[in-house]
Amino acid sequence: MNDSKKTVHATVLGYPRIGAGRELKRAVEAHWSGRLDEAGLEAAAAAIRSEMLDDLASAGMDSVPTGVFSLYDHVLDTAVAVDAIAPRHRRETELASYFAAARGDDTAAPLEMTKWFDTNYHYLVPEIGPDTAFHARPGKALAEYREARERGLDARPILLGPVSFLLLAKATGDAPSGFEPLDRIGELTAVYADLLSALVEAGADRIQLDEPALCADRTEAELEAVKAAYEHLNGVAELLVTGGYGPLGESLPVLVEAGVPGIALDLVRGRVDIDVLESLDVSRETFVSAGVVDGRNIWRTDLLAAAADLERLHRVTDRLGVSSSCSLLHVPVDLDAETELPASLKERLAFARQKLREIASLAEAGAPRLQRPAAPDDWRDETVRSRLAALPEDADRRVDYAERVAAQGELPTLPTTTIGSFPQTAELRKARAAHRRGLMIDADYHARMRAEIAAVIAEQEKLGIDVLVHGEPERNDMVQYFAEQLTGFATTAAGWVQSYGSRCVRPPILYADVARTGPMTAEWTSYAQSLTDKPVKGMLTGPVTILAWSFVRDDQPLADTADQVALALRDEVADLESAGTAIIQVDEPALRELMPLRRDGRGAYKAWATRAFRIATSGVRPETQIHTHLCYSEFGDVIDAIADLDADVTSIEASRSKMEVLADLDRADHRRGQDQSSARKLRQVGPGVWDIHSPRVPSAEEMAASLRLAVAAVDPKRIWVNPDCGLKTRRYEEVRPALANMVEAARTVRGELA
Ligand code: GLN
Ligand code: ZN
């Protein structure tokens, strides 16, 4: 490095936008309930933005991102910026339209919501048709840019790029078949040129366009679209294009060829991009933002390793930046708010504010570059490690499905069940909170939970359900509940990150070797079983889902960490079994979420993810029936992995897709039948017949119609009857009639089969 004081430009690709104290949540929820008017909401939003700018400016960033704030979701903001709001969501004011699109109302269903790449953030899916009339609406981008400029900051507006916007969108319902949103890239690029011009006119000398979709495999045609769009937009503004979710890979040469003057690399998960860049003929004038600080996780950066990457990039360019790997949207705001974390853990962590300081110090020539210290010895658990080493490679159940199914208890054809949770009432939440804060003694708390379990069992018996659940009243969250009881996990006091809109989650931190210190669920399940002659299903959260919804140590492969969690669950499964639980469900709703964005990583992922599930579940006797649950119906690439879980019963979401999923299952079965290398298949399936995401109560006839489709597509002996997902967010007023209708539907179709 040369000897001028600063050789590297310090910046960050985005910042948490919920406020350090979740002010966004409070403000928007007050607005929705009518307690805060538009002006009040705008004032609260301005205060959050002001705090963000304070953080960025005081940490010594050379330039600060603007346009990062959002009242709900940045993809929806982009739809507004290009005027792609569906006619059904247009209301009196822009704000009312915005929330109609986000949340729906009496007259219009909201936009669909889905996961943002391989994260637990959810975005709203724009609907684009051949006739969507794009126009530039730069108001928000301009206002937020000016706010930063008025403070004398070097501001860099951020927009979601046009290619990713269209790739994240879906076609409107009335679009002709074969139409894809990306068909509109030409017109949309022209509108982006207008947006960029407006920002340039206001003084912006660099604009960041986020193209996270370029971190997944892209077709030739898509890469052509990237090239054409960026050749066009380059002429309008000085651009910085980011990926942020892994290597840009084959998109990187395309961006270079298109002459993009600034590129941000994710050097946490996409370090191979340095090699690609070195092999390309890149102008030394290209601005390269080195994303060495992890935007997805909360561990302190290894500054020594980061400095080495910066050194390498210095040989490629004269204009080097240091930054986060992606927006800091996915990490909590401030580690200083955590006063209860063990010191040896806390000193290894960095939340958003601490990450800014790391970036600033990496940009500072002469600042110390410390290597990250190794984990302390007492974070290791040799017992866990040697037990895992002794497990068989395949971790399969000892007995084949055919033999298992013969040994498992008799149930009626089309057995009815639920996914696990029953409504979480305000009263239950209050009891859990009081117990946590020490305001309710253990004995009272247990009595309260037992009373709830007894009520839930009575409800199900009255409804005539075949396989019962205890209702999960003791669980605040399906991951945190286990994290609180396992070693190797810590939970935060205020480590909130946005999940969607006003909803935030507090992921636990998995920092050390994981072990179980005692039974976690058996007490509640056994109590429930003691109240009924019907089988009660035990409920656990699977290893992949526990990892996906936590901040996980990054000093060993995820596969190794998954195995440790799986081993703890295996012990829990054994306890449930010996306490007399004949059916055990291990939920893996995040199996698809952790799937690598690029094809070449998927085989290895599926192998370790499914093995971890089998470690958790394969220790049981043949008589014990293993269930799993997945919260989606687009199986695509995961269907083989689902079969490799080797569960006896799999419940899936299907009601919204009208059971189309069954045809997929059938195809997959046939494919696997020919594949001699694998004998595993999806066994019994419970395609959800009730969409629990909606307050609507489906009629018995409607659910019977779904079941008829199911028994027509798949051997009726393989079909279970259940809702799409757990009932915790529903009210008893909906749950009672809907479950009664579900049971009636099962009886009707049973009768027709007989
Ligand atoms: N057993 C959990 C429940 O019913 C499953 C939740 C989920 O799949 N997200 O709540
Ligand atoms: Zn679910």
Side-chain angles (χ1 to χ4, degrees):
M1 293 202 184
N2 65 40
D3 42 28
S4 70
K5 192 152 183 295
K6 266 199 175 173
T7 58
V8 180
H9 182 99
T11 191
V12 67
L13 301 189
Y15 203 66
R17 58 203 187 193
I18 52 176
R22 274 189 302 158
E23 289 81 1
L24 178 69
K25 178 185 180 65
R26 244 156 274 137
V28 292
E29 287 177 0
H31 177 69
W32 296 337
S33 70
R35 285 177 284 123
L36 189 65
D37 62 12
E38 282 203 16
L41 178 59
E42 179 43 34
I48 295 169
R49 292 196 297 268
S50 171
E51 185 188 48
M52 281 169 47
L53 290 174
D54 287 344
D55 283 6
L56 294 163
S58 66
M61 295 294 102
D62 293 313
S63 63
V64 304
T66 68
V68 170
F69 178 74
S70 180
L71 282 171
Y72 199 97
D73 169 47
H74 58 278
V75 181
L76 178 57
D77 294 335
T78 313
V80 172
V82 300
D83 209 20
I85 296 297
R88 75 174 188 280
H89 294 136
R90 298 204 181 241
R91 300 286 178 278
E92 284 281 289
T93 68
E94 202 169 289
L95 188 70
S97 308
Y98 185 86
F99 286 133
R103 309 175 64 229
D105 56 22
D106 296 343
T107 60
L111 292 178
E112 187 189 318
M113 192 163 69
T114 193
K115 298 232 175 190
W116 174 252
F117 302 96
D118 55 349
T119 77
N120 192 22
Y121 176 76
H122 304 68
Y123 75 95
L124 293 163
V125 182
E127 296 168 5
I128 304 294
D131 306 320
T132 305
F134 299 123
H135 304 101
R137 298 260 180 269
K140 172 180 183 291
L142 280 172
E144 291 181 29
Y145 172 72
R146 289 191 179 118
E147 260 172 10
R149 281 298 297 270
E150 274 156 25
R151 294 186 174 214
L153 297 171
D154 180 353
R156 183 183 72 250
I158 301 185
L159 295 167
L160 176 61
V163 177
S164 293
F165 177 75
L166 290 176
L167 288 171
L168 290 167
K170 66 173 192 184
T172 47
D174 55 5
S177 83
F179 169 83
E180 283 173 26
L182 195 61
D183 299 347
R184 304 290 315 276
I185 187 67
E187 293 110 309
L188 186 64
T189 303
V191 168
Y192 265 74
D194 293 344
L195 288 172
L196 298 184
S197 298
L199 288 162
V200 168
E201 236 162 78
D205 46 22
R206 176 171 287 141
I207 296 169
Q208 175 176 328
L209 291 182
D210 290 334
E211 290 286 7
L214 302 189
C215 297
D217 298 325
R218 301 271 60 121
T219 63
E220 282 301 321
E222 289 164 347
L223 293 175
E224 278 302 314
V226 173
K227 184 148 178 276
Y230 281 91
E231 279 172 349
H232 182 164
L233 296 175
N234 271 336
V236 187
E238 174 95 1
L239 297 179
L240 170 64
V241 177
T242 80
Y245 295 84
L248 286 165
E250 73 280 6
S251 291
L252 188 49
V254 174
L255 292 171
V256 169
E257 239 176 85
V260 169
I263 297 178
L265 304 181
D266 169 359
L267 297 186
V268 176
R269 304 201 304 161
R271 281 189 74 242
V272 294
D273 278 354
I274 305 185
D275 302 335
V276 179
L277 206 62
E278 282 172 343
S279 74
L280 294 170
D281 187 21
V282 183
S283 151
R284 297 199 59 87
E285 288 300 299
T286 306
F287 177 73
V288 178
S289 161
V292 289
V293 170
D294 197 344
R296 298 278 300 274
N297 213 332
I298 52 168
W299 305 98
R300 266 171 55 181
T301 306
D302 187 327
L303 296 179
L304 196 66
D309 281 350
L310 293 175
E311 201 64 50
R312 262 180 87 186
L313 286 167
H314 251 309
R315 282 181 228 129
V316 178
T317 175
D318 293 327
R319 299 172 71 206
L320 186 58
V322 58
S323 184
S324 52
S325 61
C326 61
S327 168
L328 299 184
L329 170 71
H330 308 293
V331 297
V333 177
D334 195 0
L335 183 62
D336 290 344
E338 303 302 324
T339 52
E340 304 292 317
L341 290 177
S344 60
L345 173 59
K346 194 170 170 184
E347 69 193 21
R348 288 177 163 75
L349 301 180
F351 291 0
R353 283 182 180 154
Q354 289 70 35
K355 284 174 189 280
L356 293 180
R357 271 178 247 140
E358 291 186 325
I359 291 169
S361 97
L362 279 166
E364 194 84 37
R369 305 266 186 263
L370 295 182
Q371 193 177 359
R372 199 163 78 174
D377 285 345
D378 62 354
W379 287 11
R380 279 180 75 88
D381 185 329
E382 297 305 338
T383 314
V384 167
R385 287 176 179 264
S386 53
R387 281 186 64 205
L388 277 172
L391 280 181
E393 191 46 47
D394 56 14
D396 276 344
R397 282 186 83 166
R398 286 175 296 255
V399 170
D400 276 351
Y401 174 72
E403 223 175 295
R404 279 163 12 212
V405 75
Q408 292 167 8
E410 280 284 328
L411 286 165
T413 320
L414 304 177
T416 51
T417 190
T418 62
I419 305 303
S421 57
F422 266 68
Q424 287 266 348
T425 57
E427 208 224 321
L428 274 176
R429 266 185 228 111
K430 240 187 257 158
R432 278 201 313 267
H435 181 238
R436 194 172 52 239
R437 283 198 231 101
L439 302 174
M440 187 189 268
I441 59 167
D442 285 358
D444 290 350
Y445 175 71
H446 282 237
R448 176 68 196 83
M449 291 301 130
R450 281 174 173 241
E452 183 69 21
I453 289 168
V456 167
I457 293 290
E459 286 282 355
Q460 295 171 92
E461 294 220 289
K462 202 165 108 201
L463 287 160
I465 292 178
D466 302 310
V467 172
L468 311 193
V469 295
H470 79 286
E472 306 178 22
E474 76 288 7
R475 301 190 190 174
N476 43 5
D477 171 272
M478 64 187 286
V479 169
Q480 183 155 351
Y481 178 76
F482 293 95
E484 281 170 357
Q485 300 186 73
L486 292 165
T487 69
F489 280 92
T491 50
T492 66
W496 297 101
V497 295
Q498 189 173 26
S499 174
Y500 63 88
S502 70
R503 194 176 150 82
C504 301
V505 293
R506 233 172 350 137
I509 302 171
L510 195 176
Y511 65 96
D513 284 358
V514 174
R516 202 180 69 130
T517 56
M520 302 184 282
T521 63
E523 175 197 352
W524 308 117
T525 310
S526 307
Y527 176 67
Q529 186 64 79
S530 74
L531 303 172
T532 175
D533 295 331
K534 296 256 182 83
V536 173
K537 179 162 71 160
M539 306 299 301
L540 303 173
T541 303
V544 174
T545 300
I546 289 183
L547 295 199
W549 296 346
S550 301
F551 289 118
V552 179
R553 61 191 294 183
D554 62 355
D555 61 342
Q556 67 179 19
L558 273 186
D560 295 354
T561 308
D563 284 357
Q564 295 185 353
V565 175
L567 188 64
L569 293 169
R570 182 182 177 95
D571 294 344
E572 185 69 16
V573 166
D575 276 350
L576 283 168
E577 184 180 61
S578 43
T581 308
I583 303 182
I584 300 168
Q585 176 170 312
V586 179
D587 294 322
E588 279 293 25
L591 185 67
R592 195 183 55 179
E593 174 182 324
L594 274 199
M595 175 93 92
L597 298 179
R598 289 185 181 275
R599 242 165 270 130
D600 59 9
R602 290 187 191 157
Y605 166 73
K606 288 184 203 170
W608 72 251
T610 59
R611 181 171 181 267
F613 183 91
R614 295 194 310 272
I615 290 176
T617 53
S618 62
V620 294
R621 292 178 288 137
E623 294 84 337
T624 301
Q625 189 172 61
I626 297 292
H627 288 216
T628 189
H629 165 70
L630 307 146
C631 295
Y632 42 83
S633 57
E634 303 91 49
F635 287 134
D637 278 319
V638 267
I639 190 131
D640 293 348
I642 298 170
D644 280 343
L645 300 177
D646 199 23
D648 300 308
V649 182
T650 304
S651 62
I652 48 184
E653 183 177 311
S655 64
R656 267 184 294 187
S657 65
K658 307 257 177 322
M659 304 275 137
E660 276 162 20
V661 54
L662 291 160
D664 293 350
L665 282 185
D666 207 39
R667 267 197 299 279
D669 280 357
H670 280 100
R671 220 173 42 236
R672 292 179 78 85
Q674 283 144 20
D675 172 7
Q676 296 303 316
S677 66
S678 170
R680 293 193 197 106
K681 275 192 180 185
L682 263 182
R683 314 300 189 183
Q684 301 161 54
V685 284
V689 291
W690 163 27
D691 174 13
I692 61 87
H693 304 94
S694 151
R696 210 177 132 257
V697 172
S699 67
E701 191 36 52
E702 191 180 331
M703 289 191 266
S706 292
L707 278 178
R708 284 183 199 112
L709 291 175
V711 297
V714 174
D715 176 2
K717 286 199 215 68
R718 287 173 62 196
I719 298 288
W720 283 65
V721 183
N722 47 257
D724 272 337
C725 195
L727 308 177
K728 61 186 162 223
T729 56
R730 295 267 65 92
R731 295 172 310 136
Y732 273 104
E733 294 89 286
E734 298 140 10
V735 165
R736 277 188 202 107
L739 288 179
N741 291 350
M742 185 183 91
V743 171
E744 190 189 324
R747 285 191 184 131
T748 306
V749 179
R750 250 174 232 161
E752 292 165 8
L753 288 170

